[in-house]
Amino acid sequence: MTSPDKDNPATSAFFADLMASIMGGTMIPKVQIERIVGPILGFFLPQLLSEMWKQTIVMMSPEFPIRKARLDAESGLVQHDNQSTNIDWLMFNHTTNELLLVELKTTDTTYRAQQSEVYRNVQKAIEQRQSSGFLVEELRAIQQASQESGKYRNVHVLLARALGVAEDQVLPRLGQCAAARIVYIAPRISKPADWVEDSRNPWLSFSDLPNQLMEHPHGAFWPILRQELVALDTLSRRERNGLSAITDSGRNYEGLLRGRDELLAHCRLHGSAIVVGWMNWRANLPTLTSAQFDARTYKWDWVVNGKGAKLEKNWIAGDVLLQHLK
C-alpha cells in the first residue's frame, strides 16, 4: 500500500474537507468531538510539545487507566475492585524525567473540577512516593481482572517502547520518575478563573499551539488541523444556541483584573466604590492559596450604576477585600 502524498494538493484538500466535516459535529447533539479529534491530535502531540518546550517528549499511551480504588482510598472511601478511570494521554518527558498527564477538551462546558482533582491526586501521589512505579502495578492489577487482558498487556508494551527499555524494566524505570506535569489542551473560553497555572500545570489553548510543525513527517497537515481547533477557542454555548457573544448589555461587570497586583491596585484606588466578583467569597476567600490568588482573573464593577444583576454572596467590596487580605 502506498502512503498519501502530503505534497499532493488533492491529499491536502481531502484532509481539509475531512476536518471541516468533523468540526461540523460541534453543532450536532451527542456528537463528541473530543473522541473524534483526539486520535488525530494525538498523532501530532509528542512533536508539538517537544517543539514548543524544546524537550524530548514521547507518547506512552492514550486512554491510560488509573485504578479507582486508590483514588477512592485517598478520598476516605473503601473500594476493593479494579475499575479504572482514564487519562487522555500519558506521555513521558525524557529531558526532565517526568510524566505528562494530558487532558483534551473541545467545548466550553466540559471542564470538570472533579476530573482535574483526579489528575492532581495522581500528581501528588507520585511526588509523595518519589516514584511512578505504582501506576505499573495498578495496570497489572487491572489487567489480571479484565476480560480484555491482552489490551492491557499491549499498554505495557507501549510503555516499554516509549521508555526505551525491556518490558521487565518498565517498573524500575518508572520507579525513578518522581514528578508529573498536568497539561490541559482546551478552548481558551473554557479555562476556569481559579485555574492555578504554573510550569507543573500548564493550560494550553488551541491558539497557543505552534503554527507549524517542522520535524513531523506529516507536519504539512498540521496547519489545517490547528486552524479548525483554534475556532473552538472562542465558540461558546451562547453562539451554539444562536445568540451573539456576550456584549456590554449582557454582562454584569465593568472589566477584568489579572492577578494579585492588578486586583490590589484597583481596590486601593477605588475602595468601596467597586465590587469584585468572588464566588461565595465568605467561604472561599479564607482558603485561597497564594498561588491561586496570583493566577486568577477577577471581574470588577462599580457600586453605583454598575452593570446587570448580582448576587451579594458572590461580590465583595474593594475595601472589604483589602481588610480580609491584611
Side-chain angles (χ1 to χ4, degrees):
M1 174 183 279
T2 59
S3 300
D5 181 2
K6 65 179 182 298
D7 297 319
N8 185 333
T11 303
S12 295
F14 163 75
F15 187 68
D17 289 346
L18 174 64
M19 288 308 307
S21 175
I22 289 172
M23 301 310 287
T26 60
M27 294 301 296
I28 298 176
K30 306 299 183 182
V31 173
Q32 295 181 304
I33 295 299
E34 289 166 24
R35 294 190 176 185
I36 305 172
V37 170
I40 305 174
L41 178 59
F43 181 65
F44 294 101
L45 196 54
Q47 193 64 40
L48 274 173
L49 297 180
S50 294
E51 290 191 19
M52 283 183 67
W53 295 333
K54 303 190 184 312
Q55 297 170 341
T56 302
I57 297 170
V58 297
M59 178 68 69
M60 299 189 80
S61 174
E63 296 295 334
F64 185 81
I66 300 295
R67 194 165 175 245
K68 285 184 176 180
R70 178 180 49 78
L71 297 173
D72 289 340
E74 291 173 357
S75 301
L77 302 176
V78 177
Q79 181 174 311
H80 300 290
D81 60 36
N82 288 293
Q83 292 183 349
S84 63
T85 187
N86 298 84
I87 298 171
D88 280 351
W89 293 290
L90 181 68
M91 306 180 73
F92 187 76
N93 189 328
H94 280 279
T95 305
T96 60
N97 191 38
E98 65 182 355
L99 293 177
L100 302 183
L101 316 178
V102 185
E103 177 70 17
L104 172 67
K105 298 296 181 188
T106 57
T107 73
D108 60 319
T109 58
T110 52
Y111 171 80
R112 297 289 182 270
Q114 183 178 15
Q115 183 182 44
S116 176
E117 192 62 26
V118 168
Y119 284 11
R120 293 181 189 275
N121 284 340
V122 173
Q123 183 184 53
K124 181 179 178 181
I126 291 172
E127 292 172 351
Q128 288 180 336
R129 303 178 190 205
Q130 287 294 287
S131 168
S132 304
F134 66 90
L135 295 176
V136 181
E137 295 169 341
E138 292 179 359
L139 176 65
R140 290 173 177 171
I142 297 170
Q143 175 185 343
Q144 291 171 1
S146 174
Q147 295 181 355
E148 292 283 359
S149 60
K151 291 184 177 181
Y152 292 97
R153 169 78 174 76
N154 183 58
V155 172
H156 195 271
V157 172
L158 294 177
L159 299 186
R161 187 178 303 162
L163 293 169
V165 299
E167 290 179 41
D168 62 357
Q169 293 301 304
V170 171
L171 178 56
R173 178 64 186 86
L174 284 182
Q176 300 169 2
C177 173
R181 192 186 307 190
I182 299 168
V183 182
Y184 264 74
I185 303 175
R188 185 174 69 248
I189 197 173
S190 68
K191 185 177 180 179
D194 60 352
W195 179 263
V196 179
E197 185 167 4
D198 54 33
S199 61
R200 295 172 63 251
N201 302 299
W203 181 288
L204 301 177
S205 66
F206 297 117
S207 57
D208 292 326
L209 303 178
N211 293 312
Q212 303 288 335
L213 272 183
M214 305 309 295
E215 302 298 330
H216 197 285
H218 301 288
F221 295 101
W222 166 248
I224 299 172
L225 174 58
R226 183 184 183 277
Q227 177 179 314
E228 296 291 346
L229 293 175
V230 166
L232 300 177
D233 269 344
T234 56
L235 182 61
S236 67
R237 175 182 282 170
R238 288 177 59 85
E239 291 177 273
R240 291 195 297 274
N241 289 334
L243 303 173
S244 62
I246 295 177
T247 63
D248 284 347
S249 61
R251 72 185 192 187
N252 67 342
Y253 61 95
E254 177 68 26
L256 299 173
L257 302 167
R258 291 172 175 81
R260 175 199 305 256
D261 293 341
E262 282 191 25
L263 173 65
L264 294 183
H266 212 63
C267 289
R268 291 184 184 114
L269 179 63
H270 297 291
S272 61
I274 66 169
V275 287
V276 176
W278 205 305
M279 188 71 68
N280 196 14
W281 63 268
R282 290 182 177 85
N284 292 330
L285 180 56
T287 64
L288 193 73
T289 67
S290 179
Q292 290 171 327
F293 187 30
D294 288 336
R296 286 188 56 170
T297 296
Y298 304 87
K299 297 177 182 178
W300 74 273
D301 199 13
W302 299 109
V303 173
V304 178
N305 296 325
K307 298 179 183 293
K310 297 178 177 66
L311 290 176
E312 186 274 337
K313 70 176 182 178
N314 295 332
W315 292 83
I316 180 173
D319 59 335
V320 176
L321 178 57
L322 290 174
Q323 288 292 327
H324 275 269
L325 296 176
K326 280 187 176 180

